[in-house]
Amino acid sequence: MIPNSEREETVSGSSDTDRVLRGPRSLIVSFFGTYARDVGGWVGVADLITLMADLDVDGPSVRSAVSRLKRRGLLVSERLGGAAGYRLSEEGRRILAEGDRRIFGHRVARVEDGWVLVVFSVPESERSRRHALRSRLTRSGFGTTAAGVWVAPAHATDQARATLRELDMEGYAELFHADHLGFRDLSEAVARWWDLPALQAMHEGFLTEHEPVLTAWRRRSLRGEEGPRRRRAAFADHLRAVDSWRRSPFLDPGLPPELLPDDWAGGRAARVFSDLHTLLRTPALAHVRSTLTP
């Protein structure tokens, strides 16, 4: 649900990073990925400005963001009934469909399923392509075992194959399915292959922001509150949650729980996102539908 150009390599959770991740462009990508396909695909600029105002994004920022997304090939402009608007490009639909599988079908690996290895050697004359491959593997949740050897749970095999094909790097790489046979404890190896403290900080940051929101909405649901104000609030909180969460399944490949620290926050963060999505998706979409010009 997020194009490669929009993914952030850092998972530090710093305040500066948060401002980048929660900027207008990121929120609009999340909006189109979460709602636009359910309302016919096309969204008028005026309606998008109205909706983004619920998240404190002003009109000029919306117009600037959609223009940039158009230049990047994610959106295409189109006029309907005399109104200016945007819809996803064909490439945008493809990218977001892949994102749906990762974000809403996040998988947790099992040790017995093994691992996929990407082994590559790229000549120095192609170092820019080598950097592109490393960046894509990092943003697809791969860890590094050695120079030119990258690893992920076996369920990432199709993603690895697709990445190599998209970058036209099949001639420089080999894919292997592997089991860990020694010599270090596998938990220790995983802690070397992935930056677990950075991933933990990412998950804890999500929980700090969104777990209280989930608690508040559960209380609100018990009181049986309905109406336009509730739907508007649901939309804002749902879109913020999606925008905050959507990078996590790309950066965290869903490592086997028994290989992770006892206080690992990833599972709890995934449950909080799932519960928020279940609770808020329907009223949020209802708010979007009610806002769009017929």
Side-chain angles (χ1 to χ4, degrees), residues 63-165:
R63 293 182 185 278
S64 174
V66 293
S67 294
R68 290 185 180 185
L69 292 170
K70 178 186 175 183
R71 288 197 297 271
R72 292 190 177 193
L74 182 68
L75 299 179
V76 292
S77 59
E78 182 179 335
R79 298 188 73 88
L80 290 179
Y86 289 86
R87 66 169 66 248
L88 288 167
S89 66
E90 183 177 344
E91 177 68 1
R93 290 193 298 271
R94 184 194 65 78
I95 290 170
L96 295 180
E98 166 61 21
D100 287 346
R101 290 189 287 273
R102 295 288 291 269
I103 295 164
F104 301 109
H106 189 42
R107 296 175 61 179
V108 176
R110 303 182 305 171
V111 172
E112 56 266 33
D113 292 335
W115 308 85
V116 57
L117 296 181
V118 180
V119 181
F120 62 87
S121 178
V122 182
E124 183 62 21
S125 60
E126 300 278 5
R127 60 182 177 273
S128 62
R129 297 178 67 198
R130 181 175 61 207
H131 175 72
L133 177 57
R134 288 171 174 168
S135 297
R136 284 287 298 276
L137 290 172
T138 297
R139 294 193 299 258
S140 295
F142 278 72
T144 312
T145 69
V149 183
W150 293 65
V151 61
H155 65 233
T157 299
D158 289 344
Q159 176 65 37
R161 185 177 288 110
T163 295
L164 291 168
R165 286 174 176 167

Side-chain angles (χ1 to χ4, degrees), residues 29 33 54 64 96-97 104 119 132 173 176 190 207-209 213 232-233 235 244 247 260-261 287:
V29 169
D54 293 330
S64 174
L96 295 180
F104 301 109
V119 181
F176 296 90
V190 163
L207 287 167
T208 297
E209 182 174 1
V213 175
R232 180 179 295 109
F235 165 71
S244 181
R247 292 162 183 82
L260 296 168
H287 174 65

